[in-house]
Amino acid sequence: GPGANSGCGSCSAAASRASNAKVCGICRTDLHIIEGELTDPALPLIPGHQVVGVVSQVGTGVSDRTVGERVGIAWLQQTCGLCEFCTSRRENLCERARFTGYQADGGYAEYALAPAAFAYMIPPVFSDEEAAPLRDHRLPRIGLEWI
């Protein structure tokens, strides 16, 4: 089924690209988008927001991600960083948020782009298959940078 080694895209860091993605999971939100149950997706659109890949390019000014680093891209792809929600670690409520696989192409692309702040390092203790669902939007923050 969809997921591991299915041509899914890759991860990235701010204006950077990652290739050699190993896994891109699929969840019900992807299906809601594909079936038209969520309005106003960016079209054409490539779904997938449980992405694990390897950074292949890093954008100008990015210092916290490196080429070759294994990262994940989650549902929350970008926020304003300034509103009351963003400044209180409730970024998912930001009114200017953008979402991977909804307003930005997702992990079933050959390459995927994401701001460095939303490309999370994946600890080596997790396989790619184990790490992909950790990028799901329904998991709460538990104080670890990569979740």
Side-chain angles (χ1 to χ4, degrees), residues 2-145:
N5 300 317
S6 61
C8 65
S10 36
C11 308
S12 82
S16 45
R17 295 181 181 181
S19 60
N20 302 321
K22 309 252 184 351
V23 174
C24 183
I26 191 163
C27 88
R28 185 68 191 143
T29 302
D30 296 307
L31 299 177
H32 285 303
I33 294 166
I34 292 166
E35 294 170 355
E37 296 169 8
L38 291 177
T39 61
D40 301 321
L43 296 175
L45 179 68
I46 299 171
H49 64 262
Q50 298 176 353
V51 188
V52 175
V54 178
V55 175
S56 65
Q57 288 182 349
V58 177
T60 303
V62 173
S63 61
D64 56 348
R65 294 290 166 252
T66 59
V67 171
E69 180 179 16
R70 188 172 73 132
V71 296
I73 299 174
W75 170 244
L76 187 60
Q77 199 258 3
Q78 185 175 2
T79 63
C80 76
L82 302 172
C83 70
E84 67 177 293
F85 300 116
C86 289
T87 58
S88 62
R89 295 187 53 111
R90 297 179 293 158
E91 298 92 342
N92 60 311
L93 300 175
C94 176
E95 291 184 14
R96 296 192 330 224
R98 290 177 42 91
F99 300 96
T100 305
Y102 185 42
Q103 286 113 358
D105 282 339
Y108 286 98
E110 183 178 353
Y111 293 97
L113 298 174
F118 294 91
Y120 304 93
M121 187 275 306
I122 304 291
V125 66
F126 295 106
S127 70
D128 294 334
E129 294 80 9
E130 292 168 329
L134 295 176
R135 307 290 7 118
D136 191 68
H137 63 93
R138 292 170 292 188
L139 291 177
R141 277 187 184 231
I142 60 170
L144 299 174
E145 176 198 345

